[in-house]
Amino acid sequence: MEEFKIEIFEDKTGMKFPEFYTLSKYECEFYYYKFCNAFKYTKDSNEFSIFEYIQNTGIVFPCNASSDEFSLSLLMEKTNEYLYVVWDEFQTIDRFMFDDINNYFTDIWYSITDDILLFDKNLKIIFLIRHDGVIFYNISEMVL
């Protein structure tokens, strides 16, 4: 999570930024491996980045993340589990509680600049939320 987003949130709201955990390099590699297996992605055989791959193989979700009515609960059922946010091709992943990322989504995802992937620990479905708010999703081809 970029420090400036935390500072802006805390200055704007007067509240402490929601708790999150930044995964270690090993943990990021673990989820990258799971992603590659579940979604049949191999960097060597695909000329596209992971973000492009999801756009090319996924389905467009019928709402836009930039909309005032948007909520993560439109994408998935509310869960007490964590949601993972991939910022840059699985090099940086932050883990948030579902309620925190749902309630403070616009403080975490910055439209215009951020392309992010969202998934739960099972990686059954992955969402790409593009910088313009367009949402793509892809369902895993295997059960993890």
Side-chain angles (χ1 to χ4, degrees):
M1 188 69 200
E2 296 169 306
E3 187 63 35
F4 79 90
K5 291 180 182 180
I6 296 170
E7 291 171 7
I8 290 171
F9 175 86
E10 291 179 347
D11 287 345
K12 183 174 81 173
T13 66
M15 299 184 329
K16 185 170 171 27
F17 191 81
E19 271 189 51
F20 69 96
Y21 169 74
T22 300
L23 276 62
S24 69
K25 180 179 178 180
Y26 171 79
E27 291 167 314
C28 290
E29 288 173 359
F30 172 79
Y31 277 108
Y32 175 73
Y33 175 77
K34 283 179 73 167
F35 169 84
C36 289
N37 284 329
F39 294 94
K40 308 296 185 218
Y41 177 84
T42 58
K43 192 132 183 114
D44 295 336
S45 65
N46 290 299
E47 60 189 74
F48 302 112
S49 72
I50 293 170
F51 290 83
E52 292 169 319
Y53 179 74
I54 295 293
Q55 287 181 87
N56 291 335
T57 61
I59 301 164
V60 177
F61 202 79
C63 68
N64 189 292
S66 297
S67 166
D68 290 338
E69 295 82 34
F70 178 74
S71 168
L72 287 178
S73 56
L74 294 172
L75 300 180
M76 60 188 73
E77 291 182 20
K78 182 182 183 292
T79 175
N80 291 327
E81 298 274 330
Y82 296 107
L83 281 184
Y84 296 82
V85 180
V86 177
W87 299 101
D88 51 6
E89 303 283 326
F90 285 82
Q91 299 301 307
T92 307
I93 303 173
D94 291 327
R95 182 183 70 195
F96 292 88
M97 288 296 298
F98 180 88
D99 283 342
D100 288 338
I101 196 166
N102 187 44
N103 293 336
Y104 303 110
F105 183 73
T106 57
D107 296 300
I108 295 168
W109 172 75
Y110 278 32
S111 63
I112 307 302
T113 60
D114 288 339
D115 291 331
I116 61 172
L117 297 175
L118 293 172
F119 63 89
D120 68 2
K121 69 178 181 178
N122 297 319
L123 262 168
K124 290 180 185 171
I125 187 167
I126 192 162
F127 292 94
L128 163 64
I129 301 178
R130 210 168 56 188
H131 61 277
D132 57 3
V134 175
I135 302 167
F136 297 85
Y137 68 97
N138 202 328
I139 299 170
S140 169
E141 294 185 20
M142 64 185 253
V143 177
L144 301 174

